[in-house]
Amino acid sequence: AQTVTQSQPEMSVQEAETVTLSCTYDTSESDYYLFWYKQPPSRQMILVIRQEAYKQQNATENRFSVNFQKAAKSFSLKISDSQLGDAAMYFCAYRRMYSGTYKYIFGTGTRLKVLA
Amino acid sequence: NAGVTQTPKFQVLKTGQSMTLQCAQDMNHEYMSWYRQDPGMGLRLIHYSVGAGITDQGEVPNGYNVSRSTTEDFPLRLLSAAPSQTSVYFCASSYLARLDMNTEAFFGQGTRLTVV
């Protein structure tokens, strides 16, 4: 069965600095999706970035980028120029690309604090 | 475009009471699912559906029922509430896996349920 591990329950970063959140996963599949979701205090789950496993290029969305290492099964999120509004819980998620179940599997989350 | 509409946002139940959490989406997504979020445990899948008339159990299905009579709606029923069901519940929907199509999950705003 697939699993997703976020080994950092909590991280802190100074405003304007860069922080990297770690995520590893375990799968025997070759085609899948990976996601990072942000959950601010409002509780809303917001997609930050997505990566298709068949694409070698790392995804980037403005200040957010990923380091996708397929062989190592690693999918870290880098936040550059951190802002106070980035403070939230961040979840890494995995989903098989072709599947009869189409389940999303989530990690346990990393709480990011941004210090002014 | 409303996205995923989940109601209510808050609910307090007494042990043994039943209730239904409502979820509706207007994006014509085939896949709909219910998660519960508990501290330190991430999001755990309760039930999911890949289309009208088709439902299946997730990771933690006991005590919950679902049905999918239409593409748009996917209600979650608590049959006899227990304190262990105190949690935050999320409904999510997405397209099934398709190449070059966004397949991220869209989430409702969540329901904070307390069972006393």
Side-chain angles (χ1 to χ4, degrees), chain B:
Chain B
N1 192 341
V4 180
T5 302
Q6 183 182 337
T7 57
K9 290 185 180 179
F10 301 94
Q11 183 71 50
V12 178
L13 289 179
K14 293 183 179 179
T15 297
Q17 286 185 316
S18 63
M19 79 159 294
T20 299
L21 305 184
Q22 301 292 344
C23 178
Q25 52 91 11
D26 61 359
M27 296 172 281
N28 204 31
H29 286 163
E30 302 98 336
Y31 184 82
M32 296 187 74
S33 53
W34 279 100
Y35 293 87
R36 60 177 289 171
Q37 181 181 12
D38 301 291
M41 304 191 76
L43 280 77
R44 293 184 293 169
L45 182 64
I46 303 171
H47 285 286
Y48 66 96
S49 168
V50 296
I54 306 169
T55 63
D56 206 346
Q57 296 181 351
E59 188 181 354
V60 287
N62 292 340
Y64 309 94
N65 273 359
V66 292
S67 60
R68 184 98 179 265
S69 57
T70 66
T71 299
E72 294 78 19
D73 300 298
F74 191 47
L76 177 72
R77 298 182 187 84
L78 279 70
L79 308 173
S80 177
S84 61
Q85 293 179 304
T86 294
S87 186
V88 177
Y89 292 84
F90 285 96
C91 177
S93 73
S94 72
Y95 291 114
L96 296 180
R98 295 170 195 175
L99 202 62
D100 293 332
M101 177 175 280
N102 295 341
T103 54
E104 72 268 23
F106 290 78
F107 286 83
Q109 290 192 315
T111 298
R112 181 174 293 280
L113 174 68
T114 303
V115 182
V116 298

Side-chain angles (χ1 to χ4, degrees), chain A residues 21-32:
Chain A
L21 308 184
S22 300
C23 173
T24 59
Y25 58 96
D26 186 26
T27 184
S28 59
E29 303 289 324
S30 59
D31 293 322
Y32 48 87

